[in-house]
Structure formats: C-alpha cells, structure tokens
Amino acid sequence: MKNPLIRRLPRELKSDFGKYAVIFIFMVLMIGFVSGMMVTSGSLMKYYNNSFEECNIEDGNFELASKADEHVIDTLEKENVTIYENFYKERETDDIDSNLRIFLIREEVNLVSVFDGELPVNSDEIAIDRMYADNNDIKIGDTLSVGGKELTVSGFVALSDYSALYSSPSDMMFDAIKFGVAVMSDEGFKAMGESGFHYSYSWKYSTPSSDDIEAKKMAEEFADAIAANAPITQFIPMYSNQAIQFVGDDTGSDRMMFTVFLYIVVAIIAFIMAITTNNTIAKEANVIGTLRASGYTKSELIRHYLAMPLIVTVISAIVGNILGYTVFTDFALSIYYSNYSLPRFDILLNADAFVRTTVIPVILMFVINFAILASKMNLSPLKFIRRDLSRRQKKKSFRLNTKIGIMHRFRLRIIFQNLPNYITIVIGIFLANIIMLLGMGFPKLLDNNQKNIADNMFCNYQYLLKAPVETENDNAEKYCAGSLVTIEGRLKSEGVSLYGVNSDSKYINIAPGNDGVYISTAYSEKFKIEEGDSITLKEEFGTKKYTFNVKGTYDYPTSIAVFMSRQLFNETFELDSEYYNGYLSDDELSDIDEMLIGAKITEDDMNKMSRQLNRSMGGIMDIFYWFGIVMFMMIIYLLSKIIIEKNAQSISMTKILGYTNSEISGLYVISTSIVVVLSFILTMPLVDLIMRYVCEVMFSTFPGWMPYEVPFSVFVKIIVIGIIAYALIAFMQFGRVKKIPLDAALKNVE
C-alpha cells in the first residue's frame, strides 16, 4: 500500500518554500560552478597529458654560449638522447612595453598549435601566442612593431613548451602581459638580425625515465656531459621547467581545492537542513508520537523526514551538473584561457566530476541527516507525545544574576535555548569570512607586494653584463652578480641571487665585511634562517657547495638573495679582485653596447608576479567575495528564521502580555544580532591566522617570496559589509515576528 506520509511532502515544500528555494538556488550555483570547473579541468588534464606525446614535448633544454659544432652534438647524443636545435631571438616590441621570444616554426619537437589564423609564410609575418595577444589587445591582421621591424600578425598560436609563459626558470610567476612567444618562417627569422640570439637546444631521451627520481638522476648525468664538452649557460630539465609543468601542477591542485570547498559547504548545508528538520520534529512531536504508537516504525519516519533534504540535493545536483556542462564550462574555459597558453581542446564527459559533485554530496547529506534523525527517533512514543525530546532529565535552568536587566536576561535565555543554531551561525560566519578575505584580501596582498618592490628597489636599473665594460656615468656603481641554488630539504631547491657590493655602496647599505653574509628578509622568512646560522648553497649545474655564516638580514622582502662584499664574492668564486659583472644605477646607461648587456632589470620586471596574478585571478577573487556574502546571508537567513519559528509560541505569549512587535523584535532579532556581530569580530583573528598559514604554505611552493600583509581596513570592510547584509535579513525577520498570530500561544499547550 502506498505510504500516506508521501502526501505530506508537497505541503511541506509549500509551507517551507522560501527555505528550500534558497538552499536549491545556492546549491545549484555552487554545484554548477564546481562541476564546470572540474569538467573543464579534467578535459584540460587529458589534453595536457596527451600533448607530451602528440606534440613531442622535450625532456629538457639547455643553452650554450655559442653554436655547438657537429662533434659536440655527436658526443652528447652518445648519452642516449636526441638533440634538436631550438634557437630563438629575444626582441622588444616598440608599441607595447613587452618582449617577444621568437622561434622558428617547429616541425620535430615542441610542436606548435594554431589557435586562430594561420602560421606565417612571408618574411614580414609573425604568429604570436594567443594569451599574450589577448592581454595586449592584439588582433589578427594587426601590424606589430618588433625590434624596429613592422610585422603582420598572421595568427595566434600555442607553443607546447610554453603553456605557461615563464621567461626564466627562476621567475616566481609567469608573465603573459609583458612577455610572449612567437614563431616566424625561416626567411622572417633570418631577417630579424643576429642580436639577442640564443643557442638553445632541446633533448629527448631514447628511453624515457620511469619517475621524477630517475629523471633527476638522468638530467644530472647529462648536465655533467654537456659541461664537459661545451660552455653551458642554462640547463632546464623538463621536470623543473615551470613553463611546461605549471599547468599540470596548478590544474591538479585546482581540482582538490574545489572538491574540498564543495564538501565543506555541503556539510554546512546538511547541518542546516538537519537543524531545520529537528525544528519540524519538535513542532510535530505529538503527531510523531501518535504515529509511532499507531504502528509506524522508526525507519518509516526517518525515511519521511530524509525525503525533502535528499530530493532538494538530488535535483540541485542534476540541475547544477547540466549548468556545469553548459553555462559554467564557458566560464571555466575563460578562466583557463586567461591563465594558460592553450590550444582549443574538447570538453569531455567526466565520471569523476559527476561522482564528486553529485554522488558524494548526496551521500554527505544523507549521512549527516540520517545520523541526527536516527538519534532523535530513538526516543519512545510517549516522550514524543509529551513533547519531551531531551535524552537527559531536564535540569533546572541555571540562575542569571538578578542585577542584569530583565531584557538582557531574556536575550541570554534565548541564546542559551537556541545554542546549536547559534553555534552553526558562528561556524558559518567563520567560513564565510575566510572566503570573503580570500576575495578581498588577495588583491590587496598583490598591491602590497608591488609597493614593497617599489619601496625596496636598490636603484632604478640593475645591469648584468656579458663582460666587464666601463661607463662614464658617475651614478653607476660596479657590483658582482651570481646565482646558486639551495639544498633540497624541507622546501624544494630554488635559485638564490648573489650580490657582491662595495663596502661604501650607496645603493645596498649593509657595510659588508669578509667574515659573513647578509640574507634578504624574504630568505629569512621563507627558510626560517636567523642571524648566527649558516647556509649552504650549491652550483646549479655542478656539484660544488659553498657555506656562509649569516651576519644579519637586509630588508628585501620579495626576493631570495644573499649580500656580501665584492672582495668576499671574488675570493669565494676565485675571481680577480677587481672583477665585476654588473652596474647599479638610478640612471639608464646609454654608453654601453647592447650586445654586452646580458639583462637590464627594472621595477617593472620585478612586478611580473603581482601583475599576472591580478590579471588572471581577479575574476575568481570577485567570485569568492560574492560567494562569501551569499553564503553568509543564506546561513543567517535560514537559522534566524528557524529561531523565530521555534519560539513562535513564546513570541505569541509576549504579544498577549502586551509587548509590541518592536519590543519583541528587540528580544529575538537583537539576540541573533549580538551573536552575528560578535562572531564577525571574534573569528577575525583566527581567520587571519589561517589565511597567513595558507599563504605561507602556498607561496613556499613558488620560487621567491611574497610576505603576508593584509591591511586592517580589509577586515573592517568585511565586518561592515557583513553587518549591512545582516541588517537586511534582520528587517525581513522583523516582518516574520509581526506575522506570528496571538492564538499561536494557545496551540500545542501540554
């Protein structure tokens, strides 16, 4: 026989339509967004993994000071590798403040995918990276001035070895705004001249490595072989090449982040649903007791009260997944295309995404609600009929000090009687604060990083020379520059910039001696090194190690660096006492031949990480910000609604006693207001600590360092916005108090 309790479900939906509508819309948007991101990221990962074979991506690349002759190539290929020429030229764009790295069209290794347009054929044509073009508003057919030559953009491409536009392996973040890659025909490549020519070679192993450990060992052996046969200037094995690896690493971490985020939110909604159901059970206790006494089993009643939460969750998941494969995949694609240099790839059905966004949320909703319902339904029918739903014998309420005003005591009683609801509100506000801080605080973090870079620049220009050369500029100061890498341990190995400066330097004032070094504050904070400690660094392409005593720190918060005297630098690396290979200067040096300049570093170069993150993550941060506000409002609305409904009889009684609607709202709405405001204020220090820890862990995985500095004004703004949002909800709840009739006090009286 059909269970007659099923007929109650439509009436329950109608009576609580507002609650279920809010939860449904919220879950649809949340599941749709997460599903879209996971489906798109899964499709991207499949393309990415297949691209290593389809595009014949290199196992690494190295650069030599000059072109290798056939004997050197033959010698190196005896190491069971195949070597390919992958020469490029670096050129500045005249109309845009950026650099282009120009390659020949590849036909054997690191193949090129055409996104739009076509590959260049004529000498005055160029095909540029699609993301670089988007960031600089370049269209196909536009004329681009590169290195003094006018070139026509024939198409947009994606280079398989530059899926993330890292110009250097030591960069903390790629830069797709002021750095791009491009390809030209043979004729066009030759016409660009010989300056800025880089003799770069790619290699592929005859027998690929089985894992990263073996790959590292093979790369070290091959690096030794190259160093023994040619002057090597750069060596980047594929496993450490961020331009290739970043997309895979970042996309994998995205999937985990979105999964955890979804489960936390679903768990909170499940608890809200369970509290709502508890409230319904309390209102219908007599009916439940009667049904139990009439022969209905506990399992039948549990199934009945589980039905609506599960129905809402299942329908939300289905609708969310439909939106995830349609509307939200377009949104997710726009995010990935704004971050990575990718060709077009197909969106594929993803069983894993379905399980994570549908099956597991439904199971979570079922388990949490079932556990609470099963515990409640273990009470005897008599207890339900008597409306005694407590497991323990009721104790006398603890006394409140009579010196506290009656209205204040009343509010305290309301808070204590609804403690589970208020605890859920506190947890919800805590999580919403984290989400809002991520949305509002991260852009400020990047702004502060840019400010730190500007405030702590040694000078306007840092020049690295290919060979010592004199300048007539009196403001230029000679210095020594070099680099080593840290020893892999708690953190992975990364590059360290070395500065050898004059004892009377006006740009880097550390008064260095010959008995130790100074480290940057970034080095100190990231690696937990303090004054008096010793550090050991090693050659990047060799095995020699160097140990230094740390005399102190130098205020340089954004770069991993070591500072020492020029004398100690030259002694350490066995150089001539007067050796130098760079200039520090506030003026641009115009009397040095460009051919002798290895690099020119300005504030703009240092700001690439903040610039790119602002560009690529701005949209996501806005989503987190608004999602946090919506989540906060939903939790407060539902739980404050439950509190008022649960106390409807008491509210009705106070109306009979002559209290006005405003006075009653002052009791019930203000009680919730007190909890909300205190939750915002008291959870902020913990939110700040968690965000500090998360940022430190996240930034420790990148080269370089970004100190955690979120202005106090951000926290104040979050609290103010939260209170304003709550004021709207409080106004709605005031209307709910007004609607409670006087006769409610006469119902369900024992």
Side-chain angles (χ1 to χ4, degrees), residues 373-407:
L373 281 171
S375 173
K376 187 67 71 176
M377 289 299 172
N378 276 331
L379 297 172
S380 67
L382 188 58
K383 274 184 168 285
F384 278 108
I385 292 173
R386 290 176 174 175
R387 303 178 62 81
D388 179 14
L389 303 185
S390 60
R391 292 189 162 277
R392 303 174 192 169
Q393 189 172 358
K394 288 186 178 179
K395 296 181 180 180
K396 188 177 179 181
S397 299
F398 64 88
R399 293 177 60 84
L400 294 173
N401 195 321
T402 54
K403 292 182 180 179
I404 301 174
I406 180 63
M407 302 300 280

Side-chain angles (χ1 to χ4, degrees), residues 283-517:
K283 287 192 296 184
E284 300 177 350
N286 301 50
V287 176
I288 293 171
T290 303
L291 290 172
R292 288 285 311 280
S294 301
Y296 277 85
T297 63
K298 289 186 291 184
S299 60
E300 286 176 319
L301 292 171
I302 289 172
R303 286 198 300 272
H304 171 70
Y305 285 104
L306 269 176
M308 280 310 299
L310 291 181
I311 289 170
V312 171
T313 304
V314 169
I315 295 175
S316 300
I318 292 171
V319 175
N321 271 280
I322 292 171
L323 292 176
Y325 275 94
T326 54
V327 176
F328 285 103
T329 49
D330 292 338
F331 175 76
L333 277 171
S334 69
I335 290 177
Y336 283 118
Y337 278 137
S338 68
N339 280 274
Y340 309 135
S341 296
L342 302 168
R344 298 185 189 278
F345 60 93
D346 296 325
I347 300 298
L348 307 172
L349 291 174
N350 193 317
D352 178 60
F354 177 78
V355 169
R356 294 191 189 200
T357 60
T358 302
V359 177
I360 295 179
V362 170
I363 292 173
L364 265 176
M365 186 68 69
F366 171 80
V367 169
I368 292 172
N369 279 271
F370 178 82
I372 294 174
L373 281 171
S375 173
K376 187 67 71 176
M377 289 299 172
N378 276 331
L379 297 172
S380 67
L382 188 58
K383 274 184 168 285
F384 278 108
I385 292 173
R386 290 176 174 175
R387 303 178 62 81
D388 179 14
L389 303 185
S390 60
R391 292 189 162 277
R392 303 174 192 169
Q393 189 172 358
K394 288 186 178 179
K395 296 181 180 180
K396 188 177 179 181
S397 299
F398 64 88
R399 293 177 60 84
L400 294 173
N401 195 321
T402 54
K403 292 182 180 179
I404 301 174
I406 180 63
M407 302 300 280
H408 295 311
R409 293 205 303 274
F410 203 131
R411 292 189 187 101
L412 288 173
R413 291 289 184 204
I414 292 170
I415 292 173
F416 292 141
Q417 288 169 1
N418 297 278
L419 202 55
N421 297 344
Y422 285 124
I423 290 173
T424 307
I425 285 176
V426 173
I427 295 171
I429 289 175
F430 169 70
L431 293 172
N433 281 344
I434 290 178
I435 295 170
M436 285 195 286
L437 180 59
L438 186 62
M440 294 177 63
F442 196 76
K444 292 294 183 183
L445 198 65
L446 300 180
D447 292 342
N448 281 340
N449 187 65
Q450 288 183 316
K451 185 176 182 298
N452 279 332
I453 289 172
D455 293 344
N456 292 278
M457 286 287 292
F458 309 133
C459 51
N460 294 332
Y461 298 92
Q462 294 179 47
Y463 287 89
L464 294 175
L465 306 175
K466 294 180 179 178
V469 59
E470 295 292 335
T471 178
E472 295 181 1
N473 192 308
D474 294 334
N475 285 325
E477 182 179 290
K478 297 174 182 176
Y479 80 108
C480 297
S483 65
L484 296 171
V485 295
T486 59
I487 307 295
E488 193 156 336
R490 182 178 64 89
L491 301 177
K492 65 180 182 181
S493 177
E494 70 172 278
V496 179
S497 300
L498 304 180
Y499 295 88
V501 299
N502 299 331
S503 57
D504 58 348
S505 172
K506 63 180 179 180
Y507 294 113
I508 303 177
N509 184 20
I510 58 172
N514 293 329
D515 56 341
V517 300

Side-chain angles (χ1 to χ4, degrees), residues 17 19 39 75 84 243 341 362 364 367 461 482 496 503 505 552 584 625 639 681 693-694 715:
F17 182 77
K19 176 189 75 175
V39 167
T75 302
Y84 305 88
S341 296
V362 170
L364 265 176
V367 169
Y461 298 92
V496 179
S503 57
S505 172
L584 303 173
Y625 167 63
L639 293 176
I681 295 172
Y693 173 76
V694 168
F715 299 100

Side-chain angles (χ1 to χ4, degrees), residues 47-114:
Y47 156 76
Y48 173 79
N49 292 328
N50 292 339
S51 69
F52 285 87
E53 182 176 347
E54 293 175 359
C55 298
N56 197 30
I57 296 178
E58 66 187 27
D59 288 319
N61 68 79
F62 61 91
E63 188 174 318
L64 303 179
S66 58
K67 185 175 181 179
D69 57 34
E70 291 185 7
H71 173 71
V72 171
I73 298 298
D74 291 341
T75 302
L76 294 178
E77 288 190 333
K78 291 178 181 177
E79 302 293 324
N80 293 318
V81 300
T82 303
I83 296 175
Y84 305 88
E85 290 184 355
N86 199 14
F87 301 157
Y88 66 87
K89 298 174 182 178
E90 200 96 17
R91 291 289 185 274
E92 291 185 1
T93 51
D94 301 326
D95 301 326
I96 303 170
D97 183 16
S98 67
N99 289 328
L100 273 181
R101 185 168 292 175
I102 304 170
F103 295 87
L104 285 165
I105 299 172
R106 286 89 169 271
E107 297 178 351
E108 295 182 298
V109 71
N110 301 332
L111 301 183
V112 179
S113 299
V114 178

Side-chain angles (χ1 to χ4, degrees), residues 554-595:
Y554 181 75
D555 189 15
Y556 197 46
T558 57
S559 181
I560 309 299
V562 171
F563 305 90
M564 64 186 78
S565 67
R566 258 179 75 190
Q567 181 181 349
L568 179 59
F569 185 99
N570 291 332
E571 288 177 359
T572 301
F573 298 103
E574 301 176 354
L575 301 168
D576 184 84
S577 60
E578 297 300 318
Y579 173 83
Y580 67 95
N581 62 345
Y583 282 107
L584 303 173
S585 176
D586 281 332
D587 303 325
E588 189 169 7
L589 304 182
S590 57
D591 59 343
I592 298 179
D593 190 334
E594 289 287 337
M595 296 291 291

